[in-house]
Amino acid sequence: MESSNFAEQPLPADKPRAHVVAFTSGKGGVGKTCVTANVATAMAQKGARVCIFDADTGLANINILLGLRPEFTLEHVLNGEKSLRDIVVKTRQGVAVVPGATGIASLADLDADTCNRLSKALTELEADYDYFLIDTAAGVADSVLQFIESAPHAFLLITPEPTSLTDGFSMLKLLNNRQYPGSIRVLVNMVEHYQHATETYRRFYAAVNKYLDLNVDYGGFVARDDGLAQSIVKQTPLVELFGNAPASRCLFALADNLLKHVGGRESEVGLADYWQNVARETANLQPTGNRHNQAKDQALQAGPVSQAPDLTAPESGIAELAEQLLTAMQNQSADRQMLEDFSGRFMAGFQGRFGRFPANFRTLLFRWLEAEDYAAPQLQELAGTLEALYMAKHRQPLHDAENGLARLIVQCKDSETEMRALATQMREAYLLAFGGDVFDARRELLEAIQKPAFSEAHYQELLDDLGRAFEQRFKRPYRSKSDLLLASTMQSLADMADEELKLREQADELSNGFRQLNQRRAALLAAVKPE
């Protein structure tokens, strides 16, 4: 790899540098952004100061997943309008996010001044955080590879799907060719259990070790979890919404490993160092293009002239250029990655020129979804993201309450357990939102008693259950008002009986006293009587 890698000549720093970790993938739909958001949240819960750098080209999915609506993006920083601190937004869990949005797309072609501006802004921001987690775009575009190069630590996400494994292999191949010196760990996502994860990793590692002679470490796994779709719709990290879910336990373990193994030593280089090196190299390049474009130009010049048609000739119209490109793609051994890179740049150029995507883009999108043959969890994640995007854009849910409830009921109608769980969740949500129970327990009980099916036996069972519940709650047996009145009357009668007994005893004492007085009187009279 060329000299812009993070390991070359770090800048002198009088401030501590944040640890930089990139999360990337060879293809989309493997859960990279979800993992980044949840790991950052788990690390923040353990006291770490974490900032997510959104480098996901144009999609800004991290904002949607975390329920954020940033007013400014990185583009305002690159244009000199705002500082990084101005655009940073924070989640309620304390995770900071640098919104990337469309400003990221041009990072592969920044001039030296803009690179210097970005480096300076990052230097100021690095002292505020312990960790920078970079959420890259999927694929192997130059901007993606540059962000991976800027991080001393990288996690490559794969799934058991063959397309994910092949695209992940392509990513490693390019990083190997660019001599990426950082540590790469493979994180296996959307697996059933640990054995499934290790089997997938061994299969992937065998191919990498055989064909690339590259050592990649096992970085852990994240279990497949049905709660993920709910967390996306609620725009709340899974580790906060369902902390004990299988995937959450995996994500907490990954956060612990990052804090222990990455955070356990001081970072020698920061994110700003990389972009400062890029600025130095860019300043030395010819103004006609960056280092990658120059390499491509040299390759074209080395080949036969007939193989490189003059696409800039004035007589070549757009239609003719398009036909030449299609013909070359069909008849020549074109590099797939080069064509994918061109397709992305063409779409970005079309949108920049006309302010929208091509009219047939929607059809192409549906064809892509059908051709990808996504597994159920990936489609759930995609659908949840679309629903969250609709809510963020239109400030209202995609489905109204009545239709949404009907969909949930239909989904759970064949399972009493699922239906009961749904009712419980809705009741808890009502309590959280309005501070009271949606049900009036007293009214529900009285209405149930009035139903014909409610027998005297049921009534007696209910009384027994209520009695036991009362004793458990108040630590004494339950007594009704009549029971209390009877007990009070009995106590009064007992008290009266005690008083009567005391009065009789007092009367007996008085009687004895009178008797003794009479006896003494008689004795006195007898003593004074004359003989």
Side-chain angles (χ1 to χ4, degrees), residues 246-307:
S248 294
R249 292 195 292 269
C250 296
L251 292 162
F252 276 120
L254 179 57
D256 288 337
N257 287 334
L258 275 173
L259 294 171
K260 179 179 179 181
H261 298 293
V262 175
R265 54 182 181 270
E266 184 176 351
S267 180
E268 297 180 356
V269 292
L271 193 57
D273 296 325
Y274 174 83
W275 291 105
Q276 184 62 51
N277 289 331
V278 172
R280 290 171 178 170
E281 291 192 359
T282 304
N284 296 327
L285 290 175
Q286 298 177 1
T288 55
N290 61 27
R291 63 183 187 277
H292 303 292
N293 290 331
Q294 288 182 345
K296 294 175 183 177
D297 292 340
Q298 294 172 1
L300 288 174
Q301 293 170 5
V305 177
S306 59
Q307 294 182 1

Side-chain angles (χ1 to χ4, degrees), residues 57 87 123 157 210 221 228 234 242 283 297 304 331 336 342 361-362 369 371 421 514:
T57 307
I87 72 169
T123 300
L157 269 74
K210 179 178 180 180
F221 78 101
L228 181 61
K234 294 181 179 180
F242 305 113
D297 292 340
N331 298 333
R336 173 183 171 182
F342 169 77
F361 184 76
R362 180 182 177 185
L369 290 174
F514 280 121

Side-chain angles (χ1 to χ4, degrees), residues 504-518:
R504 287 183 176 179
E505 290 177 350
Q506 292 176 358
D508 291 340
E509 290 179 358
L510 289 174
S511 178
N512 291 333
F514 280 121
R515 188 179 305 108
Q516 291 176 1
L517 287 174
N518 288 332

